C-alpha cells in the first residue's frame, strides 16, 4: 500500500544527496515510530517533506548565506539550493519541495531569466514547488512586536501573490526554528487564513509528555476572547527539523 519514487543517485549533485539522506533518515525514524503503534487494519502513513531551512542571518550575514561565502563558519549557499531544487524537480513530476524564506527567494527570483521564471511558475502551479509560511523570514515569537510580524509576513505574501497568484498563497505556517511559541503568533496565523501551524522547538519536558500522551498534534485555541476564529491545527515535529 505505498508508492516508491526512484532516483538515480549517481547523477545527483552533493547538495541533493544531502537533502535525500536527511529526508530518508526522517522517514525511517517515522516508520519505526509508526510500527510501535501498528494496527494491521490500518495502513501506515508516513509523510516525507523535502525542505530547507535558511536563516535570514545567524552565524553569517544574509549576503554570506545567499552567495555561500565564509563556509568555514557554516556551510551554506542558498542560491545553489534553489538552483538545484528547480533543476531536480523538472526531472521527475513526482518530486516536491517546500520553501519558506522569501527574503532569499525574492533575491534569487530577481536574478533569473524569463525562461527560468516560467519554469518556476509551472512548478508552483503544478504543486511541485510549494510556498509554506512565506513571510520575509521565519520570525522570532518572543521578542517581536505584532506590527513587525504583520509587516514581514505581508512583504513575503505580497511577493507570492504578485508573482504566482492567489492560488499559490500558503495554507500552512512553518516555524521549525524559533525557540518557543506564543499564543499571539498562533492567533495571528489563524486570522491570516492559515489552516495549520507546525514547529519543532518546545520545552523538553513538554515534548516528552506530549510524545507519551500522543498529543504532539492538537487544535490550539490561543485566544479566549477570539474563540474559534483563532483556533488552528498545530503539530510538533517528532524529531526537530533535521535527520536523527
Amino acid at each position: 500500500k505505498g508508492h516508491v519514487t526512484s532516483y538515480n543517485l549517481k547523477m545527483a549533485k552533493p547538495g541533493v544527496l544531502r537533502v535525500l539522506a536527511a529526508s530518508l533518515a526522517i522517514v525511517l525514524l517515522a516508520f519505526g515510530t509508526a510500527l510501535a503503534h501498528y494496527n494491521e487494519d490500518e495502513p501506515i502513513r508516513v509523510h516525507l517533506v523535502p525542505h530547507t531551512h535558511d536563516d535570514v542571518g545567524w552565524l553569517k550575514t544574509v549576503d554570506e548565506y545567499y552567495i555561500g561565502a565564509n563556509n568555514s563558519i557554516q556551510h551554506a549557499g542558498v542560491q545553489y539550493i534553489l538552483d538545484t531544487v528547480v533543476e531536480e524537480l523538472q526531472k521527475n513530476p513526482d518530486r516536491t519541495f517546500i520553501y519558506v524564506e522569501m527574503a532569499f527567494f525574492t533575491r534569487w527570483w530577481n536574478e533569473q531569466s524569463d525562461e527560468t521564471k516560467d519554469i518556476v511558475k509551472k512548478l508552483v502551479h503544478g504543486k511541485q514547488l510549494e510556498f509554506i509560511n512565506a513571510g520575509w523570514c521565519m520570525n522570532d515569537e518572543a521578542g517581536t512586536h505584532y506590527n513587525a510580524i504583520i509587516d514581514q509576513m505581508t512583504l513575503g505574501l505580497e511577493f507570492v501573490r504578485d508573482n504566482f497568484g492567489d492560488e499559490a498563497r500558503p495554507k500552512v505556517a512553518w516555524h521549525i526554528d524559533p525557540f518557543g511559541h506564543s499564543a499571539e503568533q498562533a492567533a495571528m496565523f489563524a486570522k491570516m487564513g492559515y489552516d495549520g501551524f507546525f514547529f519543532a522547538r518546545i520545552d523538553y519536558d513538554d515534548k516528552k509528555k506530549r510524545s507519551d500522551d500522543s498529543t504532539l498534534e492538537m487544535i490550539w485555541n490561543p485566544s479566549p476572547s477570539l474563540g474559534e476564529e483563532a483556533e488552528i491545527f498545530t503539530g510538533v515535529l517528532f524529531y526537530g527539523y533535521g535527520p536523527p
Side-chain angles (χ1 to χ4, degrees):
K1 296 182 179 180
H3 173 72
V4 176
T5 300
S6 61
Y7 295 88
N8 186 347
L9 297 181
K10 292 182 180 179
M11 300 298 293
K13 295 183 177 180
V16 176
L17 291 175
R18 285 193 291 270
V19 170
L20 289 174
S23 300
L24 178 60
I26 294 172
V27 168
L28 291 174
L29 177 66
F31 188 72
T33 303
L35 286 178
H37 303 280
Y38 176 63
N39 182 341
E40 63 180 8
D41 295 326
E42 297 180 4
I44 295 175
R45 179 174 297 174
V46 177
H47 296 278
L48 173 60
V49 184
H51 73 101
T52 178
H53 168 52
D54 303 321
D55 286 301
V56 186
W58 179 40
L59 299 177
K60 305 196 295 187
T61 68
V62 175
D63 287 342
E64 288 172 337
Y65 272 117
Y66 181 75
I67 65 176
N70 279 341
N71 281 331
S72 61
I73 299 173
Q74 187 181 31
H75 190 81
V78 177
Q79 63 177 331
Y80 306 115
I81 295 173
L82 292 170
D83 288 343
T84 306
V85 165
V86 170
E87 179 182 341
E88 294 300 320
L89 289 179
Q90 295 177 74
K91 296 177 181 178
N92 189 331
D94 291 330
R95 294 178 181 175
T96 61
F97 202 86
I98 65 173
Y99 199 77
V100 172
E101 295 88 0
M102 293 301 102
F104 288 124
F105 193 89
T106 56
R107 179 171 177 175
W108 179 85
W109 176 261
N110 290 331
E111 296 174 352
Q112 304 309 305
S113 66
D114 289 341
E115 180 183 2
T116 299
K117 288 181 178 180
D118 288 340
I119 291 171
V120 174
K121 288 180 179 179
K122 182 179 179 180
L123 293 172
V124 171
H125 294 152
K127 305 301 183 183
Q128 281 187 264
L129 178 61
E130 187 174 359
F131 297 113
I132 302 295
N133 212 74
W136 198 244
C137 65
M138 192 182 296
N139 65 261
D140 173 62
E141 299 184 34
T144 44
H145 192 273
Y146 71 91
N147 279 345
I149 295 174
I150 292 171
D151 284 348
Q152 73 91 14
M153 290 300 301
T154 299
L155 188 61
L157 290 169
E158 283 186 340
F159 168 81
V160 172
R161 180 198 63 195
D162 293 345
N163 289 279
F164 301 98
D166 289 334
E167 65 273 18
R169 180 185 175 90
K171 287 293 188 179
V172 174
W174 186 259
H175 267 208
I176 58 176
D177 204 28
F179 288 73
H181 306 281
S182 69
E184 177 188 42
Q185 184 77 58
M188 283 194 291
F189 276 147
K191 294 289 284 182
M192 290 177 189
Y194 289 90
D195 294 331
F197 182 19
F198 289 85
F199 48 74
R201 299 188 186 276
I202 64 174
D203 178 81
Y204 66 94
D205 283 332
D206 189 13
K207 177 72 172 292
K208 183 179 185 307
K209 185 177 189 307
R210 290 182 179 276
S211 296
D212 293 342
D213 297 344
S214 297
T215 55
L216 288 172
E217 293 182 348
M218 60 181 173
I219 300 297
W220 191 354
N221 186 342
S223 174
S225 60
L226 292 175
E228 290 186 1
E229 65 182 276
E231 289 184 350
I232 188 166
F233 176 81
T234 302
V236 182
L237 302 185
F238 181 79
Y239 204 95
Y241 62 85

